[in-house]
Amino acid sequence: MHVPDGFINAPVSAAAGVVAAAAVAAGLRGARRELDERTAPLAGLVAAFIFAVQMLNFPVAVGTSGHLLGGALAAILVGPWTGVLCIAVVLLMQGILFADGGLTALGVNITVMGVVTVVVAYALFRGLVLVLPRTRRSVTVASFAAALVSVPAAAAVFTLIYAIGGTTDVPVSKVLTAMVGVHVLIGVGEAVITMLTVGAVVAVRPDLVYGARGLTAPLKLRVDGELVDAAPAAAPAAGGSPKKLWIGGVVTALVLAGFVSFYASASPDGLEKVAADQGIDKNVEEHAAADSPLADYGVKGIEAPRLSGGLAGAIGVGATLAVGTGAFWVVRRRKTAALEA
C-alpha cells in the first residue's frame, strides 16, 4: 500500500507529513517507556524483519497481490510507540534506497501504514486479551484478529485522504469499495503472518513479547488436592540474553529477503491494482530516487535477476537493521540518562 508521489496533492501531503512527524515524535518519547536493555536490540530486528516480509507479495485475487503492512506485528512484539517507529524506519529505507513509496507521500504512508495500523491493531488486541483467557494462545488469537482488521482500516483511511486531496476525479465510493474489498483479503494474509510470528516468539521467549507481558497464565501445581501457582522459575527463558532469538531473526530476515522474495508474486499489490482499475494513478510522478542503484529492489549492474534481487534484499535488511538498532539504542540511552539524572 505504498502511496507514490502524485496520488495526493501537496497541501494534504504536507498535512499528513505533520501528522506523521508528530506521531514519530510521540513515538520517540513513548518508546523510552517500552524499551529496556533486552528489548531495545530486538526493536531494530523487528523493523528489519518487517522490511524482509514486505518483499514477499502473496496472491489474493486474479492479477492482484498483497504484502504485510506490519503495524500489528510491530505493536504486539515491541509496543505501540516503538511499533510506529519501526514502520517509519522501514518506510524511510524503502523510499530512499528502493524508490518504493513517494518521498513527498512519506507522511501519507507513515500515517496510513504506520499510525493507523498500529493504533487500530493494538487497541483491538488489548481489548481482546482483556476478555480472553490469560494464556499464550489468547495472545496469538488476538494478534490474528488485530492484524486482520488493521489492513482494511488503513485502506479506509487512505480513501479518506484521497477524498480530501486526491489529484484525480474518481468517485470516492468506488475507491472505498475497491480498496476495502481487496484489503480485506490482504488482511487475511497479514493476520496469518502476524499470528505465526507472534506465536513463534511467544513459544520461546514470551517475556520479550510486549503484548504478552502479564498475560500468560502461571504454571499450576496440585498440592494436597488444591491447585496453587508455582514459583516463578529463574530459567534463561525468563531473563536470559535474547542473543539466540536475535541471531535467528536476522538469519530468517536475510533468507526471506535474499532468497524467498524471488518467488513472490509479481502481480501489482492492492493499491496499485485499484489505482490502475479506477484511474487514480493518472497523475503519478516519477520517484525522486528512481536513479538509486537499488531502485525496484535490484542492484544496478547485476544482470542476473535472482542475484540482483537477493543482494538488494540483503542490503535492505542490513540497512534497516542498522538504522533501526541505532535509533532505538539512542532512545534507550536517553532513557538511561534521564533515570540517572
Side-chain angles (χ1 to χ4, degrees):
M1 198 191 292
H2 295 75
V3 180
D5 296 322
F7 275 23
I8 308 299
N9 63 33
V12 175
S13 294
V18 172
V19 172
V24 169
L28 288 170
R29 292 193 297 271
R32 297 179 190 177
R33 299 190 297 271
E34 295 172 345
L35 298 174
D36 56 33
E37 65 278 359
R38 292 181 303 136
T39 58
L42 294 179
L45 172 60
V46 169
F49 182 79
I50 289 173
F51 173 90
V53 179
Q54 283 196 1
M55 294 182 66
L56 308 181
N57 280 46
F58 48 86
V60 294
V62 177
T64 310
S65 70
H67 63 73
L68 181 81
L69 299 187
L73 179 61
I76 294 168
L77 289 180
V78 293
W81 297 112
T82 310
V84 170
L85 299 181
C86 284
I87 303 302
V89 168
V90 171
L91 292 171
L92 183 63
M93 293 296 98
Q94 290 171 333
I96 293 176
L97 298 180
F98 299 93
D100 188 10
L103 294 184
T104 63
L106 183 60
V108 174
N109 284 319
I110 291 176
T111 300
V112 171
M113 296 178 62
V115 179
V116 173
T117 57
V118 166
V119 170
V120 171
Y122 198 72
L124 179 56
F125 174 83
R126 293 302 304 174
L128 289 173
V129 295
L130 288 175
V131 299
L132 292 173
R134 298 169 67 86
T135 64
R136 297 179 184 179
R137 179 172 296 181
S138 296
V139 173
T140 58
V141 170
S143 69
F144 180 94
L148 175 63
V149 173
S150 70
V151 178
V157 171
F158 164 77
T159 306
L160 175 62
I161 294 174
Y162 172 80
I164 300 171
T167 59
T168 53
D169 187 17
V170 178
V172 174
S173 59
K174 289 186 177 182
V175 178
L176 178 63
T177 300
M179 282 292 292
V180 173
V182 72
H183 282 89
V184 166
L185 300 177
I186 295 173
V188 175
E190 175 107 9
V192 171
I193 294 170
T194 300
M195 178 185 69
L196 292 177
T197 305
V198 170
V201 181
V202 165
V204 295
R205 292 298 302 264
D207 58 303
L208 297 179
V209 177
Y210 185 87
R213 294 179 179 178
L215 296 177
T216 54
L219 177 66
K220 298 286 186 179
L221 296 178
R222 188 173 294 277
V223 179
D224 297 331
E226 296 184 0
L227 289 177
V228 298
D229 291 343
S241 170
K243 183 177 180 180
K244 290 183 179 180
L245 179 63
W246 191 90
I247 293 174
V250 171
V251 172
T252 300
L254 288 171
V255 170
L256 292 175
F259 177 73
V260 179
S261 62
F262 183 79
Y263 301 97
S265 173
S267 298
D269 70 15
L271 176 58
E272 291 176 308
K273 180 65 172 175
V274 171
D277 289 346
Q278 302 298 326
I280 65 176
D281 60 351
K282 294 178 181 178
N283 297 320
V284 65
E285 301 172 3
E286 184 179 20
H287 200 286
D291 294 329
S292 167
L294 298 173
D296 298 324
Y297 297 92
V299 179
K300 289 186 178 180
I302 298 180
E303 300 299 329
R306 189 188 300 269
L307 178 59
S308 177
L311 184 57
I315 292 172
V317 168
T320 305
L321 181 64
V323 172
T325 301
F328 295 122
W329 181 82
V330 170
V331 170
R332 173 61 188 161
R333 290 277 294 179
R334 288 185 176 181
K335 175 181 179 179
T336 303
L339 292 176
E340 293 176 349

